[in-house]
Amino acid sequence: MYSLQNQLGGGEGTVGIYGTITTTGVAATLVALRGIPTGHVDIPSCLTDIGSGLGRPLLLAIDFDEAFGIEIDPAKCLKAKAFIPRCYKELTARNLINYRREKIRPTVCADVQNILKLPFCTHVYSFWEGFNEENKRDVGKLLRRSPYVVGIAIVQRACREPDVPAFFLRNYCFPRTELFTDPIRVKMTGSSQSFWAYILRRL
């Protein structure tokens, strides 16, 4: 993935900061997130990555029926359009993934505050280190407006509050949730910096 990313000029864009969690960290987070059932056998699981960049986590959404990203930066969206199919082809050739290409939908290039709801989404992932407070509240409001979302994974610096779900509810307008698992410690690619993935189940 990294060589293809470099061929496209790296993962940087024109909006926000750039940084990615290691493949191992993302995979562990998505496995834990997928452990939250959709609530109905007839509802397919759909992962949405908010702030998806080039779309690396989407390629690791092996256990989901569908996946797509939302990215505000047009430059990153353009890179994702080339990056995802090229990565998919390489990973398939190396027998590292085995799913239909069509399950990864095109990245939606938009500001979260302009999206009414996520009508088909059941699970949300976001590494929101570069989001400002208003951006984070917009994410929370979008989650509230999206009735099928049952699981949420937020990757950020350690939360010092004893009640993590209450922290997200109070500060970022999240729906009522509970911690589904213990927080998962993850690291940023090419750095010793650590973050925590908080897996929340909607109540």
Side-chain angles (χ1 to χ4, degrees):
M1 287 192 193
Y2 300 112
S3 61
L4 289 176
Q5 179 175 298
N6 291 335
Q7 290 174 26
L8 294 170
E12 295 81 0
T14 58
V15 178
I17 65 170
Y18 168 70
T20 59
I21 300 301
T22 63
T23 298
T24 301
V26 173
T29 300
L30 295 184
V31 167
L33 180 62
R34 185 62 186 93
I36 301 174
T38 59
H40 197 288
V41 293
D42 293 331
I43 298 178
S45 59
C46 178
L47 174 73
T48 300
D49 180 1
I50 298 179
S52 58
L54 270 63
R56 291 176 65 245
L58 302 175
L59 291 158
L60 301 174
I62 297 169
D63 296 323
F64 292 87
D65 296 314
E66 295 181 311
F68 72 97
I70 299 174
E71 175 56 55
I72 191 174
D73 189 333
K76 293 177 185 175
C77 291
L78 188 61
K79 289 181 180 181
K81 189 175 182 180
F83 178 77
I84 291 175
R86 289 170 65 178
C87 259
Y88 175 83
K89 182 177 181 181
E90 179 178 307
L91 295 173
T92 302
R94 294 165 57 188
N95 294 317
L96 295 176
I97 58 174
N98 181 26
Y99 56 77
R100 57 187 176 83
R101 165 70 182 85
E102 293 75 19
K103 91 171 199 174
I104 304 180
R105 299 189 208 164
T107 297
V108 176
C109 193
D111 189 330
V112 168
Q113 68 175 343
N114 296 327
I115 297 175
L116 180 60
K117 62 180 179 179
L118 301 171
F120 306 110
C121 174
T122 59
H123 299 75
V124 169
Y125 168 92
S126 184
F127 174 39
W128 68 3
E129 182 62 19
F131 292 22
N132 61 36
E133 295 297 290
E134 183 178 357
N135 295 153
K136 293 177 181 180
R137 284 191 289 272
D138 287 336
V139 171
K141 292 174 184 177
L142 178 59
L143 295 174
R144 279 180 176 261
R145 298 193 300 266
S146 304
Y148 293 110
V149 172
V150 294
I152 306 159
I154 298 295
V155 181
Q156 62 167 48
R157 297 177 190 275
C159 178
R160 304 302 180 186
E161 298 276 344
D163 189 338
V164 174
F167 169 79
F168 284 112
L169 173 67
R170 182 177 66 253
N171 291 279
Y172 303 126
C173 307
F174 273 44
R176 291 180 60 247
T177 61
E178 64 180 2
L179 278 175
F180 182 65
T181 65
D182 290 334
I184 300 170
R185 188 176 185 180
V186 298
K187 290 188 176 182
M188 183 176 282
T189 302
S191 169
S192 60
Q193 191 171 13
S194 293
F195 295 90
W196 292 90
Y198 294 95
I199 313 298
L200 304 167
R201 174 168 53 190
R202 190 177 196 154
L203 297 176

